[in-house]
Amino acid sequence: SPRHGPMRIVTFSNLKGGSAKTTSTLAVAAELARRGRAVLAVDLDPQATLTTSAGLEPGPAAASLLSGDGSAEEARAALADASGGADLADGGALHVLPADRRLLRLERTAPVQLSRRLLAFLDLVEGDYDVAVVDTPPQASALVTAALASTDLVLVPVASGRGALDGLGDVVELTEKFGTAPVTGAFVTRVNTSSLHDRELVEYVADQIAGPDGEPAIRAFVRETVRVREAEMARVPVPFYAPRSTAAQDYAALVDEVEALLERHNS
């Protein structure tokens, strides 16, 4: 099937847990696949939450690749199909590079080495995919820095609640410290629209990261719904599990904006 130009890499990061980072990474990947994009999801979190949330078993592929024990070709051979019989538009695919706890051993590896191995793999599979999405650990680490150094876009999900903004500030600081790709956009998850606090947080977070025209880079936000928890329990991405749920609609609106950002990045 025809690819849509060069493969683009989108990394999701928040250095605080509980931001719905993995749920968002997987939901964006699944929604892009539904629209006919060939999508590769790369799990760089030792907890392997993306791998298991996609209905797959944790595995050593990501750690073997990044440690240099395994080749880029072996990593490609270890990719697993996570479409699970979902209704995808023509050309749509969702594949996952699985992770497991072996990634913990890489915490003392130089990020530049990890980044080089990750990019060698992404270069190898570039002809197979339109978009790669990367899920990262929820704390500052060599894996996060390597991912941020290997990406086109950086998106930061922010969960509503106490200390919500700390994680966003931490990622911005990290990108500035290491001179990686800057934060492209941020969005709020688990939003209760009847809460004034949540509505104000949505506005505030949107205003933190501006697009080239000075407008917010991303306006979308994701409402709190029981469907997200159900999808996690079922180990199926939200857009596949409950395509008509408010969360799936909200992730679709987010993907509209992500696609616009990718278009702008391509031009």
Side-chain angles (χ1 to χ4, degrees):
S1 61
R3 301 277 69 91
H4 304 257
M7 182 181 80
R8 290 294 170 208
I9 305 159
V10 183
T11 295
F12 289 77
S13 181
N14 188 316
L15 306 188
K16 294 241 179 310
S19 66
K21 173 183 55 61
T22 300
T23 298
S24 298
T25 309
L26 193 55
V28 166
E31 177 59 27
L32 284 165
R34 266 170 52 97
R35 297 179 182 198
R37 305 279 187 170
V39 184
L40 170 62
V42 177
D43 192 350
L44 295 188
D45 186 347
Q47 295 174 54
T49 313
L50 182 136
T51 303
T52 55
S53 298
L56 302 169
E57 291 305 310
S64 295
L65 169 74
L66 293 180
S67 66
D69 293 343
S71 66
E73 287 80 5
E74 286 166 332
R76 175 154 70 176
L79 294 175
D81 185 352
S83 56
D87 187 18
L88 308 183
D90 201 30
L94 176 57
H95 297 157
V96 175
L97 180 71
D100 65 10
R101 296 192 65 76
R102 278 168 264 215
L103 281 168
L104 286 169
R105 297 178 193 161
L106 300 171
E107 286 310 325
R108 300 194 186 289
T109 310
V112 66
Q113 264 187 319
L114 299 177
S115 174
R116 196 161 49 232
R117 289 166 185 155
L118 177 59
L119 284 169
F121 166 67
L122 293 171
D123 283 347
L124 178 72
V125 301
E126 168 148 29
D128 305 334
Y129 299 100
D130 300 310
V131 183
V133 299
V134 182
D135 191 30
T136 54
Q139 64 276 328
S141 71
L143 289 163
V144 174
T145 307
L148 294 174
S150 311
T151 194
D152 296 309
L153 305 185
V154 178
L155 300 181
V156 182
V158 175
S160 84
R162 259 189 69 191
L165 292 162
D166 299 350
L168 172 58
D170 291 346
V171 178
V172 170
E173 214 169 279
L174 196 64
T175 61
E176 288 170 354
K177 177 179 171 187
F178 288 101
T180 66
V183 173
T184 315
F187 59 95
V188 185
T189 63
R190 304 196 169 136
V191 173
N192 173 1
T193 47
S194 62
S195 152
L196 176 63
H197 170 272
D198 281 16
R199 294 199 307 271
E200 287 177 344
L201 182 67
V202 165
E203 293 292 315
Y204 183 80
V205 167
D207 288 338
Q208 292 311 294
I209 312 291
D213 47 9
E215 290 294 293
I218 291 181
R219 290 187 178 278
F221 60 90
V222 184
R223 288 167 285 181
E224 177 74 272
T225 159
V226 69
R227 289 279 181 254
V228 172
R229 183 59 51 81
E230 288 174 0
E232 284 167 3
M233 299 296 285
R235 295 176 54 177
V236 178
V238 175
F240 295 171
Y241 178 81
R244 285 188 284 281
S245 64
T246 54
Q249 290 167 20
D250 293 344
Y251 279 118
L254 174 63
V255 167
D256 288 343
E257 298 199 80
V258 170
E259 289 197 306
L261 289 168
L262 290 169
E263 284 302 314
R264 201 151 65 214
H265 201 91
N266 278 340
S267 56

